[in-house]
Amino acid sequence: VCLLDRAAQISNKDNSRQDLGSFTGFVDGGAHKYENGAKCWNGPERSLRASFVCSDTISIISITEPEKCEYIAKMTGPFACDSVADDTPPPKSIITEHRPEHDEL
């Protein structure tokens, strides 16, 4: 998965690739939707929905195929962290400098 771009399935057997589609937008509170992938034999075009949980690293936890050629990936990444909601600070890699507001005269 190349976030916000394309997704592909790579065979463990021969390293061949099946296109799972291009990023088409956000769904279900921040999940990524990839659509218009390679057509399945006697089926739909492949697609992927990727949801995310908070972690310091980007990785794939699991991928399932609940419907023919429609994949669901559970992934981790620092962009999924919400320090307000879970009371834990975000990873240092995404902390930005806070600049206090000032009043103009």
Side-chain angles (χ1 to χ4, degrees):
V1 176
C2 183
L3 299 177
L4 305 176
D5 188 17
R6 302 197 61 76
Q9 177 182 15
I10 303 172
S11 170
N12 290 334
K13 187 170 145 181
D14 62 4
N15 286 331
S16 63
R17 291 177 168 259
Q18 290 293 330
D19 182 25
L20 300 182
S22 299
F23 178 75
T24 57
F26 298 98
V27 294
D28 301 330
H32 293 189
K33 183 71 177 171
Y34 298 82
E35 298 178 297
N36 306 313
K39 182 156 175 52
C40 281
W41 181 83
N42 204 19
E45 292 179 336
R46 289 175 170 83
S47 64
L48 172 75
R49 182 182 164 279
S51 61
F52 301 91
V53 294
C54 178
S55 175
D56 286 340
T57 59
I58 298 172
S59 64
I60 296 173
I61 298 170
S62 66
I63 299 180
T64 58
E65 186 180 5
E67 298 288 332
K68 184 176 184 177
C69 297
E70 295 179 6
Y71 305 91
I72 295 177
K74 188 170 191 177
M75 300 179 66
T76 65
F79 42 81
C81 299
D82 182 2
S83 61
V84 174
D86 63 13
D87 292 332
T88 58
K92 290 181 182 178
S93 62
I94 64 168
I95 293 176
T96 58
E97 180 182 338
H98 175 70
R99 294 188 177 148
E101 293 183 31
H102 66 278
D103 293 328
E104 295 292 329
L105 295 175

